[in-house]
Amino acid sequence: MKKVALLVLAAGASSRMQTHIKQLLPWKNSTFLENALATAKDTEADQVFVVLGANYELIVSKANFDGVSLIRNENWQLGIGSSIAKGVAHLNNLTEKYDAILVSLADQPLVDASYYNQMITAFKNSNEHLVATNYGAKKGVPALFAKEYFVPLTHLNQDFGAQKLLNDKNALSINSSINNIDIDTWEDYQLLLNKID
């Protein structure tokens, strides 16, 4: 049986959130980060990992990481690519080996477990090696990478992450039936709260 790790990226400094730490923003009955981790744990993935960087000590002291493996990216300032590289390198060094890594973002609070499971199922039941989210003109995360892409992923170090890899290769593109909007600014967060209320 193919084993899948789910890697939640939450290392950024949220510079466009003014003085707020995005990972700890209230969301539902917890926070953005805890919601992302709960969603990840509710999937068919075999293990959940989270990459933290900026505000590491504060986030670790305030959030619940039960059942989740923590990875610290000391070079988070280099952007999302460095967090993917750090996470994949960590998984490569484990005794437990995985056949694929599903990369997700902590700041997409409306993405649900069923969407992640759709990607996992597409990988397990086919010969697909890349499964990406369709954003129209481009493909992006959430995205699932089979193990032959683990080494290229460890070489990422720029802020556009794995997008070039996804768009250069013949990735299976899934049209998300849910809202996969990123919450990047304080205004985005306020609009999100107003839609939910």
Side-chain angles (χ1 to χ4, degrees):
M1 178 63 75
K2 297 176 181 176
K3 294 183 69 92
V4 176
L6 201 158
L7 185 68
V8 179
L9 304 180
S14 322
S15 57
R16 288 183 284 173
M17 276 287 174
Q18 301 171 15
T19 58
H20 304 278
I21 296 174
K22 179 162 49 173
Q23 295 91 329
L24 298 177
L25 287 174
W27 178 246
K28 296 184 177 178
N29 296 318
S30 59
T31 62
F32 261 20
L33 178 56
E34 289 170 314
N35 175 75
L37 297 180
T39 299
K41 289 193 292 184
D42 199 31
T43 69
E44 295 167 5
D46 295 281
Q47 179 61 38
V48 176
F49 299 82
V50 59
V51 182
L52 299 178
N55 304 301
Y56 180 87
E57 289 85 1
L58 179 62
I59 293 170
V60 168
S61 72
K62 291 185 176 295
N64 180 356
F65 295 95
D66 288 348
V68 175
S69 297
L70 276 171
I71 302 167
R72 185 171 187 173
N73 179 15
E74 303 279 5
N75 298 313
W76 58 267
Q77 301 96 328
L78 297 178
I80 192 172
S82 73
S83 288
I84 296 173
K86 181 75 174 185
V88 176
H90 176 87
L91 267 68
N92 277 344
N93 289 328
L94 296 177
T95 303
E96 186 81 25
K97 298 303 178 187
Y98 295 93
D99 299 292
I101 297 172
L102 200 171
V103 177
S104 70
L105 303 176
D107 62 0
Q108 291 184 321
L110 300 180
V111 176
D112 58 19
S114 64
Y115 183 65
Y116 294 138
N117 286 339
Q118 185 180 353
M119 293 189 144
I120 293 170
T121 299
F123 167 69
K124 287 185 174 181
N125 295 345
S126 71
N127 292 318
E128 298 295 343
H129 299 278
L130 284 172
V131 184
T133 299
N134 184 358
Y135 287 93
K138 64 180 183 178
K139 300 165 188 169
V141 293
L144 182 147
F145 302 85
K147 59 187 174 184
E148 55 263 44
Y149 293 102
F150 289 6
V151 171
L153 288 172
T154 63
H155 295 152
L156 298 177
N157 61 7
Q158 299 180 39
D159 201 32
F160 50 76
Q163 191 178 109
K164 187 174 189 297
L165 180 63
L166 288 171
N167 285 284
D168 282 352
K169 301 293 182 179
N170 187 25
L172 172 65
S173 183
I174 294 180
N175 291 310
S176 174
S177 59
I178 47 85
N179 192 336
N180 49 27
I181 186 172
D182 291 4
I183 306 301
D184 291 324
T185 67
W186 183 246
E187 290 73 25
D188 290 343
Y189 177 59
Q190 295 300 314
L191 287 170
L192 178 68
L193 293 180
N194 290 335
K195 286 180 181 178
I196 299 301
D197 288 342

